[in-house]
Structure formats: structure tokens, C-alpha cells
Amino acid sequence: MQNRTPQIPEQPAPTRAELDAGFTVELTSVVTGARRRALRDGDRHIDTAHLLHSLIESDPEVRTAFDGGPQLARVLGYLVQRSIGYGLRWQGAVEDSGVVPLVHDPGVDGWSPSAVAAMEGARARAERRGEDRAGGLDLLAALAADPECRAVEVLDRAGVDAAWLAGRTAERTAEASGRA
């Protein structure tokens, strides 16, 4: 008799050197949480909605970028709905907002092209500020800057203007840099 339980594809974890190269410890934790969420949801790869969900759960500084508790609660509510079934229409589909050309099998490295672009965007934001490592606000800004990614779709459905959030995130990043 064969086991009829569907197998969740394994996703290779980035090496420790890759994680440490450009992210804070907190952002590394966000990536780990997003990977767990993708595996639990049965998704083939980490997408920007997984990153957004893990980022909001893990980073108190990111939560302050939203316009109060009700707005944040709507976003989290939508993300939870997605994880318990709403996102089924996304399963098996590659998230590709067109920011990064899709030239390889997206399941090979376990990341959607849009998620890769967001992580690279977070690193670039940190570099422009002269910092070695990207943090949660950098990733939130990078997610909000891609109008075609799933994270922005989640934000839109929850009533959060992504352009406004990107601007507010820039303000919070500047405030945080001023305290350092």
C-alpha cells in the first residue's frame, strides 16, 4: 500500500555565510520563519507573503511602521486566512512580479524571484545608508516597493497603501539610523 500523503518538497537552506553576509540576526530569523511557513503551507518556495508574515511576527520595529493596531490586525488577519486556505490559488504557481527575470526553475533554490528581489533590495537599502547589514525595515520597504508582489497584494486587500507604507518605512529607518 502506498502512502497517499502528499510530500512537501524540501527547500535547501542558504548557507550560514550567505545569511550572515548581509542581514542582521533579526532578519536572519525572519528568513528562517518564512521558510518554516512555506514548508508548513506546502508551498514550493518562499514568496514575499511568507516574508511579510514572518517579518510582522518577528520584528517589533516593523510593526510600528503600520498605522496602529487595527491596520496591523487586518494585515495579520489576511495573512492567517492565506495560510489556512486562501492562498491555495497560489500553491504551485511561481510568484514572479517581473522585477527579476525568471531564467531558472524557481523550485530549485526554494525562493520566488520576487522574494529574491526583495532580499536584494533590502541589502541595497542598507548599503545606501552605509550599513553592512539589512534589517527588518529595509525588507519591509523592499516588499512595499514591488507593486506586483504577493506581499503588496496582501497589503492592498487589508487596506494598506503600499506606497504610503514604503514612505513611512523610510522615515522609521531614518529615525533608527539617527539613534545609532
Side-chain angles (χ1 to χ4, degrees):
M1 187 177 279
Q2 292 182 343
N3 181 358
R4 296 187 187 263
T5 305
Q7 296 294 317
I8 298 173
E10 290 187 34
Q11 298 180 6
T15 66
R16 187 52 142 174
E18 289 171 335
L19 288 176
D20 290 345
F23 302 120
T24 61
V25 171
E26 295 82 9
L27 194 51
T28 300
S29 176
V30 166
V31 169
T32 301
R35 178 173 292 104
R36 270 194 309 269
R37 183 166 302 288
L39 286 171
R40 186 176 54 237
D41 292 350
D43 293 333
R44 290 178 10 153
H45 48 3
I46 297 168
D47 67 24
T48 58
H50 293 123
L51 288 171
L52 178 64
H53 200 158
S54 185
L55 189 58
I56 290 171
E57 286 180 337
S58 303
D59 193 328
E61 206 170 33
V62 163
R63 291 190 294 271
T64 66
F66 288 86
D67 191 21
Q71 185 181 62
L72 188 58
R74 284 190 308 272
V75 173
L76 281 171
Y78 192 88
L79 287 164
V80 168
Q81 286 177 4
R82 181 216 182 204
S83 70
I84 62 173
Y86 177 81
L88 290 177
R89 67 184 175 86
W90 286 341
Q91 285 183 345
V94 178
E95 175 188 37
D96 182 19
S97 65
V99 174
V100 175
L102 184 60
V103 282
H104 66 284
D105 177 5
V108 172
D109 63 5
W111 290 79
S112 75
S114 297
V116 170
M119 298 303 279
E120 290 172 352
R123 283 185 179 154
R125 283 179 49 85
E127 288 173 5
R128 283 193 299 271
R129 282 193 319 278
E131 295 184 21
D132 294 334
R133 297 184 186 271
L137 290 173
D138 294 314
L139 180 56
L140 182 61
L143 291 170
D146 181 356
E148 300 299 319
C149 76
R150 290 178 181 168
V152 169
E153 182 179 341
V154 168
L155 293 171
D156 287 344
R157 297 271 175 121
V160 178
D161 182 283
W164 170 86
L165 184 60
R168 182 151 166 135
T169 302
E171 292 170 12
R172 299 284 179 179
T173 304
E175 290 172 9
S177 293
R179 287 189 302 242

